[in-house]
Amino acid sequence: MPEACIFCRIVRGELPAEVVHREAGLVAIRDIQPVAATHVLVIPERHVADLRGLGPEDADLWWRLTRAANQVAEQLGHTTGYRFYVSVGPGGGQTVFHLHIHVLGGPMARLPV
Ligand code: 5GP
Ligand code: ZN
């Protein structure tokens, strides 16, 4: 439900978040429970439950989300690289059902297996 969705509410400014980047159609915020020195979530403004909700018409959106992930990592000083992952559905460990890309940089915990 976009009305109750945490990330829709952050996008609308109804809930606070530490925004590190914003551009048309997307926002990047600090994760509330970081598992790395840098832990940012890149979130499309439009409510899409998970990666499986993107279609061919979203090719540009997906490219812009990935570009934002690259830019945020660079901007935060992770010039040698960073970890990029997306949880897809409950079986993929997703807990917030609004598409987001995790950007992890610096010392980080191992990904759960
Ligand atoms: P997932 O488990 O779906 O891959 O990732 C969801 C992420 O959202 C988790 O890393 C969690 O810490 C983060 N998160 C959950 N609620 C909030 C919130 O209200 N604000 C922020 N900034 N992050 C949140
Ligand atoms: Zn949403």
Side-chain angles (χ1 to χ4, degrees), residues 6-7 10 15-18 29-35 39 41 43 85-89 92-98 100 102:
I6 294 171
F7 289 170
I10 287 174
L15 290 177
E18 192 184 334
I29 64 171
R30 300 258 185 201
D31 195 290
I32 206 168
Q33 285 190 295
V35 297
H39 189 169
L41 306 171
I43 305 172
Y85 78 89
V86 180
S87 307
V88 185
Q94 189 176 1
T95 58
V96 177
F97 296 96
H98 179 134
H100 50 281
H102 292 259

Short mmCIF file of all heavy atoms in Angstrom, two decimals, residues 6-7 10 15-18 29-35 39 41 43 85-89 92-98 100 102, ligand 1:
data_model
loop_
_atom_site.label_atom_id
_atom_site.label_comp_id
_atom_site.label_asym_id
_atom_site.label_seq_id
_atom_site.Cartn_x
_atom_site.Cartn_y
_atom_site.Cartn_z
N ILE A 6 6.63 2.67 4.13
CA ILE A 6 7.63 3.52 4.80
C ILE A 6 8.39 4.38 3.79
O ILE A 6 8.61 5.58 4.01
CB ILE A 6 8.64 2.65 5.59
CG1 ILE A 6 7.97 1.94 6.75
CG2 ILE A 6 9.79 3.49 6.09
CD1 ILE A 6 8.89 0.91 7.41
N PHE A 7 8.83 3.77 2.69
CA PHE A 7 9.65 4.53 1.75
C PHE A 7 8.81 5.53 0.97
O PHE A 7 9.29 6.63 0.66
CB PHE A 7 10.46 3.59 0.84
CG PHE A 7 11.57 2.86 1.56
CD1 PHE A 7 12.26 1.83 0.93
CD2 PHE A 7 11.95 3.21 2.85
CE1 PHE A 7 13.29 1.16 1.58
CE2 PHE A 7 12.98 2.54 3.52
CZ PHE A 7 13.66 1.51 2.87
N ILE A 10 8.65 8.40 3.29
CA ILE A 10 9.91 9.16 3.29
C ILE A 10 9.98 10.03 2.04
O ILE A 10 10.32 11.22 2.10
CB ILE A 10 11.11 8.20 3.43
CG1 ILE A 10 11.18 7.67 4.87
CG2 ILE A 10 12.41 8.88 3.01
CD1 ILE A 10 12.22 6.60 5.11
N LEU A 15 7.97 11.17 6.75
CA LEU A 15 8.86 10.58 7.75
C LEU A 15 10.25 11.14 7.50
O LEU A 15 10.65 11.36 6.35
CB LEU A 15 8.90 9.05 7.61
CG LEU A 15 7.66 8.26 8.00
CD1 LEU A 15 7.87 6.77 7.72
CD2 LEU A 15 7.32 8.47 9.48
N PRO A 16 11.02 11.37 8.57
CA PRO A 16 12.36 11.94 8.39
C PRO A 16 13.35 10.91 7.83
O PRO A 16 13.18 9.70 8.05
CB PRO A 16 12.76 12.35 9.81
CG PRO A 16 11.96 11.48 10.71
CD PRO A 16 10.68 11.15 9.98
N ALA A 17 14.33 11.40 7.12
CA ALA A 17 15.41 10.54 6.62
C ALA A 17 16.59 11.45 6.32
O ALA A 17 16.41 12.64 6.05
CB ALA A 17 14.97 9.81 5.36
N GLU A 18 17.79 10.87 6.39
CA GLU A 18 18.98 11.64 6.04
C GLU A 18 19.23 11.46 4.55
O GLU A 18 19.73 10.41 4.11
CB GLU A 18 20.19 11.18 6.87
CG GLU A 18 21.34 12.16 6.74
CD GLU A 18 22.60 11.71 7.47
OE1 GLU A 18 22.47 10.95 8.45
OE2 GLU A 18 23.69 12.12 7.05
N ILE A 29 18.99 7.75 0.65
CA ILE A 29 18.98 8.07 2.09
C ILE A 29 19.92 7.12 2.83
O ILE A 29 20.19 6.01 2.38
CB ILE A 29 17.56 7.94 2.69
CG1 ILE A 29 17.04 6.49 2.61
CG2 ILE A 29 16.59 8.90 1.98
CD1 ILE A 29 15.74 6.26 3.39
N ARG A 30 20.35 7.55 4.00
CA ARG A 30 21.13 6.66 4.87
C ARG A 30 20.22 5.60 5.47
O ARG A 30 19.11 5.92 5.95
CB ARG A 30 21.75 7.46 6.02
CG ARG A 30 22.67 8.56 5.58
CD ARG A 30 24.10 8.16 5.74
NE ARG A 30 24.97 9.29 5.41
CZ ARG A 30 26.25 9.14 5.07
NH1 ARG A 30 26.80 7.93 5.02
NH2 ARG A 30 26.99 10.19 4.79
N ASP A 31 20.71 4.36 5.49
CA ASP A 31 19.95 3.29 6.13
C ASP A 31 19.92 3.54 7.64
O ASP A 31 20.90 3.97 8.24
CB ASP A 31 20.62 1.94 5.84
CG ASP A 31 19.69 0.77 6.16
OD1 ASP A 31 19.44 0.52 7.36
OD2 ASP A 31 19.23 0.11 5.21
N ILE A 32 18.77 3.27 8.24
CA ILE A 32 18.59 3.53 9.67
C ILE A 32 19.38 2.54 10.54
O ILE A 32 19.72 2.85 11.68
CB ILE A 32 17.08 3.50 10.01
CG1 ILE A 32 16.76 4.34 11.23
CG2 ILE A 32 16.55 2.09 10.15
CD1 ILE A 32 15.28 4.58 11.43
N GLN A 33 19.71 1.39 9.97
CA GLN A 33 20.51 0.38 10.71
C GLN A 33 21.69 -0.04 9.85
O GLN A 33 21.70 -1.15 9.29
CB GLN A 33 19.66 -0.84 11.05
CG GLN A 33 18.67 -0.60 12.18
CD GLN A 33 18.04 -1.91 12.63
OE1 GLN A 33 17.31 -2.54 11.85
NE2 GLN A 33 18.32 -2.32 13.85
N PRO A 34 22.67 0.84 9.72
CA PRO A 34 23.77 0.56 8.78
C PRO A 34 24.57 -0.68 9.15
O PRO A 34 24.81 -0.93 10.33
CB PRO A 34 24.63 1.82 8.85
CG PRO A 34 24.27 2.47 10.15
CD PRO A 34 22.85 2.10 10.44
N VAL A 35 24.97 -1.42 8.13
CA VAL A 35 25.85 -2.58 8.36
C VAL A 35 27.22 -2.35 7.73
O VAL A 35 28.00 -3.28 7.57
CB VAL A 35 25.21 -3.89 7.83
CG1 VAL A 35 23.93 -4.22 8.57
CG2 VAL A 35 24.98 -3.84 6.32
N HIS A 39 26.12 3.15 4.38
CA HIS A 39 25.01 2.27 4.00
C HIS A 39 23.87 3.19 3.56
O HIS A 39 23.20 3.81 4.39
CB HIS A 39 24.58 1.37 5.17
CG HIS A 39 23.59 0.31 4.78
ND1 HIS A 39 23.25 -0.74 5.62
CD2 HIS A 39 22.87 0.11 3.64
CE1 HIS A 39 22.37 -1.52 5.00
NE2 HIS A 39 22.12 -1.01 3.80
N LEU A 41 20.50 3.78 0.82
CA LEU A 41 19.45 3.13 0.04
C LEU A 41 19.04 4.07 -1.09
O LEU A 41 18.71 5.24 -0.82
CB LEU A 41 18.23 2.83 0.92
CG LEU A 41 18.51 2.02 2.19
CD1 LEU A 41 17.27 1.99 3.09
CD2 LEU A 41 18.98 0.61 1.85
N ILE A 43 16.31 4.85 -3.77
CA ILE A 43 14.88 4.51 -3.79
C ILE A 43 14.16 5.27 -4.91
O ILE A 43 14.23 6.51 -4.94
CB ILE A 43 14.25 4.89 -2.42
CG1 ILE A 43 15.01 4.23 -1.27
CG2 ILE A 43 12.78 4.56 -2.39
CD1 ILE A 43 14.55 4.72 0.11
N TYR A 85 23.62 -4.19 -3.74
CA TYR A 85 22.75 -5.37 -3.76
C TYR A 85 21.29 -4.96 -3.63
O TYR A 85 20.97 -3.87 -3.15
CB TYR A 85 23.14 -6.42 -2.72
CG TYR A 85 22.73 -6.16 -1.30
CD1 TYR A 85 21.49 -6.59 -0.82
CD2 TYR A 85 23.59 -5.51 -0.42
CE1 TYR A 85 21.11 -6.36 0.50
CE2 TYR A 85 23.21 -5.29 0.89
CZ TYR A 85 21.97 -5.71 1.35
OH TYR A 85 21.60 -5.48 2.64
N VAL A 86 20.45 -5.84 -4.08
CA VAL A 86 19.00 -5.62 -4.06
C VAL A 86 18.35 -6.90 -3.52
O VAL A 86 18.59 -7.99 -4.06
CB VAL A 86 18.45 -5.32 -5.47
CG1 VAL A 86 16.95 -5.10 -5.42
CG2 VAL A 86 19.16 -4.12 -6.09
N SER A 87 17.57 -6.77 -2.46
CA SER A 87 16.80 -7.91 -1.95
C SER A 87 15.51 -7.98 -2.77
O SER A 87 14.85 -6.96 -2.97
CB SER A 87 16.45 -7.70 -0.47
OG SER A 87 17.61 -7.40 0.28
N VAL A 88 15.17 -9.18 -3.22
CA VAL A 88 13.98 -9.33 -4.07
C VAL A 88 13.01 -10.31 -3.41
O VAL A 88 13.23 -11.52 -3.43
CB VAL A 88 14.35 -9.82 -5.49
CG1 VAL A 88 13.11 -9.85 -6.38
CG2 VAL A 88 15.42 -8.91 -6.11
N GLY A 89 11.97 -9.75 -2.79
CA GLY A 89 10.92 -10.58 -2.18
C GLY A 89 11.36 -11.21 -0.87
O GLY A 89 12.54 -11.19 -0.51
N GLY A 92 14.23 -13.42 -0.84
CA GLY A 92 15.53 -12.76 -1.03
C GLY A 92 15.91 -11.90 0.16
O GLY A 92 16.85 -11.11 0.07
N GLY A 93 15.17 -12.05 1.25
CA GLY A 93 15.50 -11.30 2.46
C GLY A 93 14.96 -9.89 2.49
O GLY A 93 15.31 -9.10 3.37
N GLN A 94 14.09 -9.55 1.54
CA GLN A 94 13.55 -8.18 1.52
C GLN A 94 12.62 -7.97 2.70
O GLN A 94 11.80 -8.84 3.04
CB GLN A 94 12.78 -7.95 0.20
CG GLN A 94 12.38 -6.50 -0.02
CD GLN A 94 11.71 -6.27 -1.38
OE1 GLN A 94 11.52 -7.21 -2.16
NE2 GLN A 94 11.36 -5.03 -1.66
N THR A 95 12.76 -6.81 3.35
CA THR A 95 11.91 -6.51 4.50
C THR A 95 11.06 -5.25 4.29
O THR A 95 10.06 -5.07 4.98
CB THR A 95 12.75 -6.32 5.78
OG1 THR A 95 13.70 -5.27 5.57
CG2 THR A 95 13.49 -7.61 6.15
N VAL A 96 11.49 -4.38 3.37
CA VAL A 96 10.67 -3.21 3.03
C VAL A 96 10.28 -3.38 1.56
O VAL A 96 11.16 -3.42 0.68
CB VAL A 96 11.43 -1.88 3.24
CG1 VAL A 96 10.58 -0.70 2.79
CG2 VAL A 96 11.82 -1.72 4.71
N PHE A 97 8.99 -3.48 1.30
CA PHE A 97 8.53 -3.88 -0.03
C PHE A 97 8.26 -2.67 -0.92
O PHE A 97 7.17 -2.49 -1.46
CB PHE A 97 7.35 -4.85 0.11
CG PHE A 97 7.79 -6.11 0.79
CD1 PHE A 97 7.63 -6.28 2.15
CD2 PHE A 97 8.49 -7.09 0.08
CE1 PHE A 97 8.12 -7.42 2.80
CE2 PHE A 97 8.97 -8.23 0.71
CZ PHE A 97 8.78 -8.39 2.08
N HIS A 98 9.32 -1.89 -1.05
CA HIS A 98 9.41 -0.77 -2.01
C HIS A 98 10.84 -0.86 -2.51
O HIS A 98 11.79 -0.76 -1.72
CB HIS A 98 9.11 0.55 -1.29
CG HIS A 98 9.21 1.79 -2.14
ND1 HIS A 98 8.24 2.79 -2.11
CD2 HIS A 98 10.17 2.21 -3.02
CE1 HIS A 98 8.59 3.76 -2.96
NE2 HIS A 98 9.76 3.43 -3.50
N HIS A 100 14.53 -0.87 -3.59
CA HIS A 100 15.66 -0.03 -3.18
C HIS A 100 16.96 -0.78 -3.45
O HIS A 100 17.01 -2.00 -3.36
CB HIS A 100 15.58 0.35 -1.69
CG HIS A 100 15.34 -0.82 -0.78
ND1 HIS A 100 14.10 -1.39 -0.61
CD2 HIS A 100 16.19 -1.54 -0.02
CE1 HIS A 100 14.20 -2.41 0.22
NE2 HIS A 100 15.46 -2.52 0.60
N HIS A 102 20.80 -1.23 -2.16
CA HIS A 102 21.72 -0.99 -1.04
C HIS A 102 23.09 -0.62 -1.61
O HIS A 102 23.61 -1.32 -2.48
CB HIS A 102 21.89 -2.26 -0.20
CG HIS A 102 20.67 -2.68 0.56
ND1 HIS A 102 20.51 -2.42 1.90
CD2 HIS A 102 19.56 -3.34 0.17
CE1 HIS A 102 19.34 -2.92 2.32
NE2 HIS A 102 18.75 -3.48 1.28
P1 5GP B 1 15.75 -4.97 2.79
O1 5GP B 1 15.77 -5.81 4.04
O2 5GP B 1 14.33 -4.80 2.28
O3 5GP B 1 16.72 -5.38 1.73
O4 5GP B 1 16.26 -3.52 3.24
C1 5GP B 1 15.47 -2.66 3.98
C2 5GP B 1 16.40 -1.69 4.67
O5 5GP B 1 15.64 -0.57 5.08
C3 5GP B 1 17.08 -2.26 5.91
O6 5GP B 1 18.49 -2.20 5.76
C4 5GP B 1 16.56 -1.35 7.04
O7 5GP B 1 17.54 -1.08 8.01
C5 5GP B 1 16.13 -0.11 6.31
N1 5GP B 1 15.03 0.63 6.93
C6 5GP B 1 13.89 0.13 7.44
N2 5GP B 1 13.10 1.12 7.90
C7 5GP B 1 13.76 2.28 7.66
C8 5GP B 1 13.45 3.65 7.93
O8 5GP B 1 12.40 4.00 8.47
N3 5GP B 1 14.38 4.57 7.55
C9 5GP B 1 15.56 4.22 6.93
N4 5GP B 1 16.40 5.21 6.60
N5 5GP B 1 15.88 2.93 6.68
C10 5GP B 1 14.99 1.98 7.04
#
